[in-house]
Amino acid sequence: MPAAETLAYAQDLLDRGLAFNAHEVLEAAWKNGPEDEKTLWQSLAQLAVGITHVQRGNGKGAVTVLRRASAGLALHGTAPYGIDASGLADYADALIDAIAASAVITPERLRPRLVGPH
């Protein structure tokens, strides 16, 4: 599936609260995409897994995976396909902070925008 379609499909799944399914879509892009984009797609898949952990009440697992996602996304400040890598890294960091503070995380907060500014 082309990158734009992959991102649109993953975004739709995230918007519907289906982060694990979004992870599967993003993982396919990671495993099948160009070598020079693997870290970016892997980081997006990890972000979706982190969100999945939050949805399932696994804060410790969420923090571990969100840290990996943030680190990988931070490497791609200017990412292809309009992916807001730096904004998503900031999003992951803010989610980590919210988990650490035992803040209530609403379902709406678990729907980051993959493309464009947040």
Side-chain angles (χ1 to χ4, degrees):
M1 180 176 333
E5 289 178 36
T6 298
L7 290 164
Y9 187 32
Q11 185 67 64
D12 177 60
L13 292 167
L14 286 170
D15 290 346
R16 292 191 286 141
L18 301 171
F20 183 77
N21 300 81
H23 157 262
E24 295 290 324
V25 170
L26 295 165
E27 183 178 57
W30 158 30
K31 303 266 176 155
N32 298 304
E35 190 64 36
D36 63 336
E37 295 177 6
K38 288 199 181 287
T39 302
L40 175 62
W41 290 104
Q42 179 183 26
S43 301
L44 291 170
Q46 289 170 330
L47 179 66
V49 169
I51 292 169
T52 300
H53 283 304
V54 173
Q55 290 172 328
R56 295 178 178 173
N58 179 4
K60 183 177 179 181
V63 167
T64 299
V65 179
L66 289 168
R67 281 189 181 133
R68 282 189 225 138
S70 176
L73 289 163
L75 298 174
H76 296 279
T78 304
Y81 317 113
I83 297 170
D84 185 13
S86 61
L88 290 167
D90 291 344
Y91 168 84
D93 292 339
L95 203 49
I96 291 167
D97 291 344
I99 293 165
S102 299
V104 174
I105 301 172
T106 64
E108 293 75 25
R109 188 164 179 192
L110 298 176
R111 297 175 183 155
R113 309 307 319 153
L114 299 176
V115 175
H118 294 293

